[in-house]
């Protein structure tokens, strides 16, 4: 079946540091890939997405590139801020699974001033 | 425009009781999905509805049921509550069931004591 594996946390960084969170997937067919962010006490917000191979999703300084050859969708940000402290989830959806979202376990990121 | 709204925001129930959670999708969205997020884990798919019909069901017991109304709002019912049902229940809406991406509500935090 479809599944997502993402880097375990927690991750603690200083402000302006470089952030990368690894995500790899297993899927039948050609999934779409997503990064969602969850701030403390809130629901999920879509951060970025990519729907086909080599697409790059970007938003708020975050980027991720859909790499079919390595089945990966790593999240990166060049200079993090304290406000980026949150839990980040990698997810996929595919026609083979009726487009339901399959999530990774989440990575907690804490940015210190 | 209002986003996905869920009610109530918090709920405390006793083991064995029944609970109903409610969700109103974004205007124009015809698909509603429910996810359970246990503390420290990624969300797990429970149900998907489209045009009032069930389009998918996750690996949850029959104590979990749902329905979608003509105005596309939805209810999730859980009977005979167990301590393990304590979680954040998330509702997500999308335009259709295909790969348009999902918008999540802020969730209902259910605590079973």
């Amino acid at each position: 079946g479809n599944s997502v594996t993402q880097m375990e946390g927690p991750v603690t960084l200083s402000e302006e540091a470089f952030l990368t969170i690894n995500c790899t997937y297993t899927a039948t067919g050609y999934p779409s890939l997503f990064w969602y962010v969850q701030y403390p006490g809130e629901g999920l917000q879509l951060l970025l997405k990519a729907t086909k191979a080599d697409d790059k999703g970007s938003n708020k300084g975050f980027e991720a590139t859909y790499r079919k050859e390595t089945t990966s969708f790593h999240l990166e940000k060049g200079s993090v801020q304290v406000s980026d402290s949150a839990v980040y989830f990698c997810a996929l959806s595919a026609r083979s699974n009726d487009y339901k979202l399959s999530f990774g376990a989440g990575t907690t990121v804490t940015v210190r001033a | 425009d209002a986003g996905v709204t869920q009610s109530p925001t918090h709920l405390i129930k006793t083991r064995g009781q029944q609970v109903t959670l409610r969700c109103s999708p974004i205007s124009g969205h015809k698909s509603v999905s429910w996810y359970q997020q246990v503390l420290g884990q990624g969300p797990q798919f429970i149900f998907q509805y489209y045009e009032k019909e069930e389009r998918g069901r996750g690996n949850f017991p029959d104590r979990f049921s749902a329905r979608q109304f003509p105005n596309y709002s939805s209810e999730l019912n859980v009977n005979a509550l167990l301590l393990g049902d304590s979680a954040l229940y998330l509702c997500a809406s999308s335009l259709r069931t295909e790969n348009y991406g999902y918008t999540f509500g802020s969730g209902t935090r259910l605590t079973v004591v």
Side-chain angles (χ1 to χ4, degrees), chain B residues 90-105:
Chain B
L90 295 164
C91 174
S93 78
S94 62
L95 200 58
R96 293 198 285 271
T97 56
E98 292 83 15
N99 213 8
Y100 287 83
Y102 296 85
T103 302
F104 282 81

Side-chain angles (χ1 to χ4, degrees), chain B residues 12-18 80-82 111-113:
Chain B
I12 299 175
K13 289 286 189 178
T14 304
R15 278 177 295 176
Q17 285 189 315
Q18 175 265 341
L81 285 166
L82 304 174
T111 303
V112 182
V113 297

Side-chain angles (χ1 to χ4, degrees), chain A residues 32 36 38 89 93 99 101, chain B residues 35 37 45 97 99 102 104:
Chain A
S32 289
Y36 281 86
Q38 186 173 38
F89 292 95
S93 73
Y99 298 110
L101 284 166
Chain B
Y35 289 79
Q37 185 181 13
F45 171 76
T97 56
N99 213 8
Y102 296 85
F104 282 81

Side-chain angles (χ1 to χ4, degrees), chain A residues 47-64:
Chain A
L47 183 58
L48 53 83
K49 67 178 181 182
T51 58
K52 61 182 187 296
D54 299 324
D55 269 3
K56 177 185 281 187
S58 61
N59 187 27
K60 300 181 181 179
F62 290 89
E63 293 184 341

Side-chain angles (χ1 to χ4, degrees), chain A residues 57-77:
Chain A
S58 61
N59 187 27
K60 300 181 181 179
F62 290 89
E63 293 184 341
T65 302
Y66 187 167
R67 301 288 188 198
K68 191 172 187 299
E69 63 275 14
T70 55
T71 62
S72 65
F73 193 54
H74 304 322
L75 182 68
E76 296 181 337
K77 186 174 185 182

Side-chain angles (χ1 to χ4, degrees), chain B residues 24-64:
Chain B
S24 293
I26 289 174
S27 178
H29 284 195
K30 298 182 178 181
S31 177
V32 169
S33 301
W34 288 94
Y35 289 79
Q36 180 197 62
Q37 185 181 13
V38 174
L39 195 63
Q41 298 181 20
Q44 297 293 317
F45 171 76
I46 311 175
F47 284 109
Q48 182 181 64
Y49 277 79
Y50 177 68
E51 292 278 17
K52 302 181 290 294
E53 291 189 3
E54 183 181 305
R55 290 298 186 93
R57 183 187 179 110
N59 189 23
F60 281 81
D62 292 344
R63 299 183 296 107
F64 289 77

